[in-house]
Amino acid sequence: MNKFDISVQTLRRLPDYLNYLHGIAKKEGYISATSIAAALNLNNVQVRKDLAYVSNAGRPRKGYPIEVLIKDLESFLGYHDVDSAVIVGAGHLGKALLHYSGFQAYGLKILAAFDNNEKILSEEKSGSIFHIDRMKEICSELKPKIGIIAVPAQAAQQVCDLLTECGVKAIWNFAPVHIAVSNNILVVNENMAAHLAMLSIHLRRPLEQSADKEINL
Amino acid sequence: MNKFDISVQTLRRLPDYLNYLHGIAKKEGYISATSIAAALNLNNVQVRKDLAYVSNAGRPRKGYPIEVLIKDLESFLGYHDVDSAVIVGAGHLGKALLHYSGFQAYGLKILAAFDNNEKILSEEKSGSIFHIDRMKEICSELKPKIGIIAVPAQAAQQVCDLLTECGVKAIWNFAPVHIAVSNNILVVNENMAAHLAMLSIHLRRPLEQSADKEINL
């Protein structure tokens, strides 16, 4: 299994496996994919496939040594090598991301957000939103690996260039526009409208065809 | 091609095709997938595959009749059968979704948001955020097809039940928790943390392995 081929669907389940294993009282022994599947109400073939991305400690008829599997999951999820990010744009979306609690399950940390809107800056109380003029200075100290673009489409490329100058290695782009980056930078484009459209199209599916009533994006 | 097998990646490109076709001056003739691909800087095999989900009007060596392709794209994207949604939770995320401009490219309309937080309600100026106590009354009038859950995890199931009572046919769930629904309701779970984790994992990929420098989610 090449871990870079992992799907978002599998990634969604990994923190659940980790939570479950952390909750087990006796961690000396082994645990089977079947037991994990039963506890989490999942298919055991799925669990086996998911864990194959993460660990090669599984043994036939024994399962996984619990302590090793916990370490492998933590290491895969980056618990020992926390990736940090900064957000540009502290409007509704930027603030939603800044305050989103789900990132810590993946060992991710949002360090700060930047904006040039005086109203946003003056109303700010959390201490984590700064004027964009201070971005280079603050980033040279915090050294974030990831830059998150949460500005309107027309400002996205300019913000992307600024993030690149600040040394980020990857961009998570929420602006509904294509951005150009230099060769060694990874870009992940997020398109929330396409997700809602996916739901909308499945909604028009005739009832007898609706095999999946749950879609995970 | 079964249109329900369409991927989010294809869905992302459909509005681009439509925009491009709308911009063509002479709409009487035919257009080839190759021309569309060249204009949008895409691979022509990809364009052919994408359009196969949407239209069967393509002819060998001629391409697609432009006017028919526009109609097929508009119909696929739901322009003639606009789906409407309401949001529950008007915190940062709810407001970000309420003000997001990308939905109209897919013929989607966010009608209103609901919250029980007096501070949010008193500061509201857009006229589209209402007290959750008015939800049944307002929904019985607006008849939204989609309910969007943008509340904290612990409130998600209760909100989901309320949306179901209001008659929505699908739920778009942003709360990082599994929700139970009755049989004929479609659920799409959104997990932004898993998306950021995907980026984080690819960031640790050795440089020589980084074939994809762009990921579309």
Side-chain angles (χ1 to χ4, degrees):
Chain A
M1 287 282 179
N2 181 337
K3 73 175 192 174
F4 302 111
D5 296 332
I6 196 167
S7 69
V8 170
Q9 284 69 29
T10 293
L11 262 177
R12 292 170 64 97
R13 287 183 289 266
L14 299 185
D16 297 336
Y17 299 145
L18 189 56
N19 280 340
Y20 172 66
L21 295 172
H22 275 308
I24 293 176
K26 281 192 178 177
K27 296 199 174 59
E28 302 87 51
Y30 281 72
I31 189 160
S32 67
T34 313
S35 314
I36 299 175
L40 295 174
N41 200 14
L42 294 167
N43 176 298
N44 75 68
V45 176
Q46 188 65 71
V47 173
R48 232 175 286 273
K49 274 179 71 177
D50 288 349
L51 294 179
Y53 283 105
V54 173
S55 179
N56 49 26
R59 296 289 165 264
R61 280 181 301 279
K62 290 189 85 172
Y64 292 84
I66 300 176
E67 285 180 345
V68 177
L69 186 54
I70 288 178
K71 277 196 190 125
D72 286 344
L73 276 163
E74 286 182 344
S75 144
F76 190 94
L77 289 172
Y79 274 40
H80 311 298
D81 177 25
V82 174
D83 278 338
S84 55
V86 293
I87 301 170
V88 186
H92 298 304
L93 177 61
K95 283 204 195 103
L97 294 168
L98 190 61
H99 298 293
Y100 189 64
S101 61
F103 294 132
Q104 64 204 35
Y106 293 93
L108 298 161
K109 215 169 166 179
I110 312 265
L111 302 172
F114 299 93
D115 210 301
N116 62 359
N117 182 316
E118 294 300 342
K119 188 163 179 291
I120 288 174
L121 292 162
S122 67
E123 286 172 356
E124 143 73 0
K125 283 168 205 120
S126 67
S128 42
I129 305 179
F130 303 95
H131 196 286
I132 198 158
D133 287 348
R134 295 192 58 200
M135 196 167 137
K136 279 191 192 173
E137 164 211 339
I138 291 173
C139 285
S140 75
E141 203 173 302
L142 300 177
K143 299 195 181 12
K145 278 199 198 157
I146 300 166
I148 302 174
I149 299 181
V151 297
Q154 65 272 20
Q157 184 63 55
Q158 203 186 341
V159 161
C160 173
D161 296 343
L162 184 58
L163 282 165
T164 310
E165 286 174 44
C166 289
V168 304
K169 304 284 174 245
I171 301 272
W172 195 20
N173 175 36
F174 281 83
V177 66
H178 186 265
I179 50 171
V181 291
S182 59
N183 247 331
N184 48 358
I185 301 214
L186 175 74
V187 176
V188 173
N189 291 307
E190 195 78 31
N191 186 327
M192 296 205 285
H195 289 189
L196 184 51
M198 178 67 101
L199 183 153
S200 174
I201 282 165
H202 278 267
L203 203 51
R204 279 177 258 147
R205 180 195 279 249
L207 209 61
E208 65 274 20
Q209 277 195 48
S210 39
D212 306 317
K213 59 162 227 167
E214 192 168 310
I215 301 171
N216 294 301
L217 294 174
Chain B
M1 288 281 179
N2 181 337
K3 73 176 193 174
F4 302 112
D5 296 332
I6 196 167
S7 69
V8 171
Q9 284 70 27
T10 294
L11 262 178
R12 293 169 64 95
R13 288 183 289 266
L14 299 185
D16 297 337
Y17 299 144
L18 190 55
N19 281 340
Y20 171 68
L21 296 172
H22 275 307
I24 292 175
K26 281 192 177 179
K27 297 200 173 61
E28 302 86 50
Y30 280 73
I31 190 160
S32 68
T34 312
S35 316
I36 299 175
L40 296 175
N41 200 15
L42 293 168
N43 175 299
N44 75 69
V45 177
Q46 187 67 70
V47 172
R48 233 175 284 273
K49 274 178 71 178
D50 288 350
L51 294 179
Y53 283 105
V54 173
S55 177
N56 49 25
R59 294 291 166 262
R61 283 181 297 280
K62 291 189 83 173
Y64 292 84
I66 300 177
E67 285 181 344
V68 177
L69 186 54
I70 288 178
K71 277 198 189 120
D72 286 345
L73 276 162
E74 287 182 344
S75 143
F76 190 93
L77 289 171
Y79 275 40
H80 311 297
D81 176 24
V82 174
D83 277 338
S84 56
V86 293
I87 301 170
V88 185
H92 297 304
L93 177 63
K95 283 203 195 104
L97 294 168
L98 190 60
H99 298 291
Y100 189 65
S101 60
F103 294 132
Q104 65 205 33
Y106 294 93
L108 297 162
K109 217 171 166 177
I110 312 266
L111 302 172
F114 299 93
D115 210 301
N116 62 359
N117 181 315
E118 294 299 342
K119 189 163 178 292
I120 288 173
L121 293 162
S122 67
E123 287 171 356
E124 143 72 1
K125 283 168 206 121
S126 69
S128 42
I129 306 179
F130 304 94
H131 195 286
I132 199 159
D133 287 348
R134 295 192 57 200
M135 196 167 137
K136 280 192 191 173
E137 165 211 339
I138 291 173
C139 285
S140 75
E141 203 173 302
L142 300 177
K143 300 194 181 10
K145 277 199 199 159
I146 300 166
I148 302 175
I149 299 181
V151 297
Q154 65 273 20
Q157 184 62 54
Q158 202 186 341
V159 161
C160 172
D161 296 344
L162 183 57
L163 281 164
T164 310
E165 284 173 45
C166 288
V168 304
K169 303 285 174 243
I171 301 272
W172 195 20
N173 176 36
F174 281 83
V177 65
H178 187 265
I179 50 171
V181 292
S182 58
N183 247 332
N184 48 359
I185 300 213
L186 174 73
V187 176
V188 173
N189 291 307
E190 195 76 32
N191 186 327
M192 296 205 284
H195 288 189
L196 185 51
M198 177 67 100
L199 183 154
S200 176
I201 282 164
H202 277 268
L203 203 50
R204 280 177 257 146
R205 179 196 281 247
L207 207 62
E208 66 273 23
Q209 277 195 48
S210 38
D212 305 318
K213 58 161 230 169
E214 192 168 310
I215 301 171
N216 294 300
L217 294 174

